[in-house]
Amino acid sequence: MDTLLIKGGKSLRGTVKISGAKNAALPILASTILSRGTSIIHNVPQLSDVDVIVQILSSLGVAVHRRSDQALVCCVNEETSYAAPSELVKKMRASICVLGPLLAKRKKARIAFPGGCVIGDRPIDLHLKGMEALGAHVQVENNHIELTAQKLNGNSIYLGSSFGSTVLGTANVMMAAVLARGKTTIKNAACEPEVEELAKFLNKMGAQISGIGSRTLIIEGVDELRGTEHRIISDRIEAGTFMIAAAMTRGSVELLNANPLYLQSIITTLKKMGTVIVEESNRIVVEGKDNYLPVSIETTPYPGFPTDLQAQLTSMLTIIPGVSCVTEKIYPHRFAYVKELLKMGACIEQKKASVYIEGIKTLKGTTVFASDLRASAALVLAGLVAVGETQIKQIHHIQRGYENLQVKLSYLGADINYK
Ligand code: EPZ
């Protein structure tokens, strides 16, 4: 079951329902540590990354169960544990999200340096800088970080690196600051929809966060938070992946539960290339074309073109006549999939953090290896248009971020099966 077999050449047609956003669900689930009582979270996708955060929460005294309507019910039963199990933390970068909540609520947090997708250096210095600014004592030893603070105090914190803002760093500092004494200002905050979503969830639990969705977040600390009920937004990266799949296979796909507001950069890019896209409040229709134009893009923080769609767009550009260029500004080494596309006949040259793609007529099916989540998606897209059969090995990565991808693609007419 760790190999996907795709027989290429089918245009995708029909309707697909986009799942809840993984990158919104993970920090929101972690934030339940901050509250008393029970929270009910709807539209949480069934993914291996969600399983990991649920297991971490269970080990930290938060009981989580999935109801028959798919909602996750989270209830804090015990508040003495403060150390996240290393074997789980090493599986997923987003495990770092428990740091802020543990420190704020339990005055102590211990966590191994997190693992996750292999997409280049992923430091956590900004997370730690934020916690220190709030008054935490940070100790690093044996590849573990331990933070302590009897009481956190609000402060003004600039969170940024040469790669821009930090999504989970902003989430972590915001989650620590909601229970700090006084006012915290986060400057250069990430304004990805998933960060906005976390802030809204925290406010529903009783936090006082303003400036939501902007580069400056202002947080007035409160004494305690209560459980609440919330519905996770749809996954803009899953939606973007299906949009590219529809365009690339010259198909016609209706996406339900997809918010075009969060997808403007990919919509603009695909339209510039010649795709016809209809946008409604929670529905997008993508009509593929026979002829597309090449394009040049660079990935930047939201609302720019997302790094999480970089590999999928590059995959499409391999079959668009002319020369396209894709520059990665957030994770300059996020090109592990390129050598796999080359095996399929693609014509791609990498120069530092840019790839130049000369479009060819067709890719050819062969055996390729998935190295991370979005690389897996890029190879699936390539397989959908390749001549003959593509075998994608190590496909387990895809289950980290795409709910039922094989079923959804089959439903749209793709010939795709697990082996
Ligand atoms: C989030 O990771 C997402 N993960 C990633 O999605 C996404 O690629 C990334 O944001 C960028 O959009 C989740 O939300 C769970 P960052 P995050 O901190 O928060 C540097 C996917 O495929 N940096 O915003 O960990 C960092 O190296 C995943 O779903 C520091 O220098 O990313 C990078 O260059 C993979 N120091 C840039 O900032 C720090 O302390 C942005 O990273 C933190 C980050």
Side-chain angles (χ1 to χ4, degrees), residues 22-23 93 123-126 166-168 308 330-331 374:
K22 164 185 82 94
N23 290 347
R93 162 92 175 172
I124 52 162
D125 56 311
L126 297 172
T166 162
V167 172
L168 293 180
D308 293 345
I330 297 174
Y331 292 111
R374 307 305 171 189

Side-chain angles (χ1 to χ4, degrees), residues 22-24 26-27 49 92-97 117 119-129 160-170 190 192 194 236-237 300-302 306-308 329-332 334 372-374 400-401:
K22 164 185 82 94
N23 290 347
L26 296 175
D49 275 9
M92 180 179 79
R93 162 92 175 172
S95 314
I96 194 73
C97 288
C117 278
I119 56 176
D121 279 349
R122 300 183 76 187
I124 52 162
D125 56 311
L126 297 172
H127 299 240
L128 301 182
K129 174 185 159 187
S161 72
S162 49
F163 300 107
S165 49
T166 162
V167 172
L168 293 180
T170 304
E192 269 68 6
E194 296 77 18
R236 64 192 168 100
I237 305 302
T300 49
Y302 187 81
T307 172
D308 293 345
K329 291 270 191 171
I330 297 174
Y331 292 111
R334 201 176 195 176
D372 63 74
L373 169 57
R374 307 305 171 189
R400 301 185 61 168

